[in-house]
Amino acid sequence: MPRSMLVAAVVACVLMPGCARAEGTYWPWCIDYRDSSYNCGFASFEQCRETAIRVRGLCRQNPLGPPAPPPKPRRPAR
């Protein structure tokens, strides 16, 4: 996929209301591109691999890892 098409797809996603809901979602797979940039927006290895083949990138697990679980609520003192 040419870089201009990729940029257009990202811009279109940002402008669509449905993409805003994805904010804060953890994506476990990333593509490392040859120009030292990366995209951590893939839910499965297969999804990442299909895109990586087209853009000649490498799939890797998200280096940030999953988010920490929310803290447990404290019980009020009696």
Side-chain angles (χ1 to χ4, degrees):
M1 173 185 294
R3 194 168 297 278
S4 61
M5 289 179 67
L6 182 62
V7 170
V10 170
V11 169
C13 181
V14 169
L15 296 177
M16 289 176 19
C19 287
R21 281 185 267 131
E23 185 175 68
T25 302
Y26 171 69
W27 301 101
W29 291 98
C30 305
I31 292 180
D32 282 340
Y33 298 103
R34 291 180 177 209
D35 64 356
S36 300
S37 63
Y38 61 93
N39 173 5
C40 293
F42 300 94
S44 69
F45 176 75
E46 291 78 18
Q47 181 186 32
C48 180
R49 186 180 56 158
E50 288 297 318
T51 305
I53 290 170
R54 287 184 263 140
V55 297
R56 295 186 180 157
L58 297 171
C59 288
R60 302 193 188 276
Q61 287 187 323
N62 190 333
L64 299 178
K72 293 181 180 178
R74 297 184 68 174
R75 293 179 55 189
R78 290 187 169 193

